[in-house]
């Protein structure tokens, strides 16, 4: 497992570097780009800060700092949630949406490049393995 863990870590770092490199001309980080993409995909009408904390496995203080920076750059707006006054809902601005569209293109290109190197069965098995590793990680945290 030690070799597998090391390889997964190296692959993760490479993906993070690629995303950070893509985000740099926008004066953003890879994490900020990922958050824009997450909100842009909008499975829900609005997201609370705690949704972002859970999705990215980050602490409240970390999420607050990232979101404040994104708000200052005009990418998002944060408002008191209609459902819970203790929470803030996070919404993309038009500027944030435009950058998120570019981010979608980047992720699509990355996915296509990955798909060219592996068969459908190999990709399915790889995703299954990653999902099992993630579930184990979550179980260990709780």
């Amino acid at each position: 497992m030690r070799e597998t863990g090391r390889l997964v870590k190296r692959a993760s770092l490479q993906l993070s570097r690629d995303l950070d490199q893509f985000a740099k001309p926008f004066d953003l980080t890879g994490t900020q780009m990922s958050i824009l993409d997450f909100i842009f995909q909008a499975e829900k009408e609005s997201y609370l800060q705690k949704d972002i904390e859970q999705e990215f496995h980050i602490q409240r203080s970390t999420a607050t700092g990232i979101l404040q920076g994104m708000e200052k750059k005009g990418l998002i707006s944060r408002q008191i949630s209609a459902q819970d006054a203790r929470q803030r809902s996070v919404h993309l601005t038009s500027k944030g949406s435009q950058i998120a569209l570019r981010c979608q293109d980047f992720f699509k290109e990355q996915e296509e490049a990955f798909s060219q190197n592996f068969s459908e069965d190999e990709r399915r098995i790889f995703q299954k393995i990653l999902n099992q590793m993630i579930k184990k990680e979550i179980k260990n945290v709780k």
Side-chain angles (χ1 to χ4, degrees):
M1 179 62 187
R2 185 173 184 200
E3 178 69 10
T4 302
R6 187 176 64 78
L7 290 172
V8 168
K9 181 66 172 179
R10 288 181 64 195
S12 174
L13 288 171
Q14 186 59 52
L15 288 170
S16 292
R17 281 188 205 110
D18 291 346
L19 184 55
D20 282 337
Q21 197 66 26
F22 172 76
K24 196 172 189 174
F26 299 99
D27 191 30
L28 298 174
T29 66
T31 301
Q32 290 170 324
M33 280 293 210
S34 294
I35 291 171
L36 286 177
D37 180 64
F38 174 69
I39 298 168
F40 187 75
Q41 292 188 35
E43 291 178 11
K44 296 174 20 175
E45 190 171 314
S46 69
Y47 286 99
L48 300 177
Q49 179 173 322
K50 71 177 183 173
D51 297 322
I52 294 166
E53 294 163 10
Q54 291 171 352
E55 175 69 18
F56 294 96
H57 302 284
I58 55 177
Q59 294 182 10
R60 180 183 296 166
S61 59
T62 302
T64 298
I66 293 169
L67 294 174
Q68 284 175 343
M70 293 173 72
E71 194 171 26
K72 285 179 187 172
K73 292 178 182 184
L75 303 171
I76 62 166
S77 64
R78 295 185 306 153
Q79 300 146 359
I80 294 176
S81 169
Q83 295 90 6
D84 184 347
R86 298 169 296 168
Q87 296 287 326
R88 293 210 176 209
S89 60
V90 181
H91 306 273
L92 290 181
T93 63
S94 59
K95 180 180 177 181
S97 293
Q98 289 172 359
I99 293 174
L101 277 171
R102 301 277 302 273
C103 191
Q104 293 262 302
D105 292 340
F106 172 78
F107 286 132
K108 184 179 178 185
E109 289 171 14
Q110 293 289 91
E111 189 71 26
E112 288 171 359
F114 180 77
S115 295
Q116 291 175 357
N117 292 306
F118 301 97
S119 71
E120 180 67 31
D121 285 342
E122 289 171 324
R123 290 191 308 270
R124 199 173 310 119
I125 290 167
F126 183 63
Q127 288 177 347
K128 181 179 178 181
I129 290 167
L130 290 175
N131 281 319
Q132 287 176 337
M133 291 177 81
I134 291 166
K135 286 177 186 174
K136 181 180 181 226
E137 178 184 311
I138 292 170
K139 286 180 186 174
N140 288 340
V141 172
K142 290 182 179 179

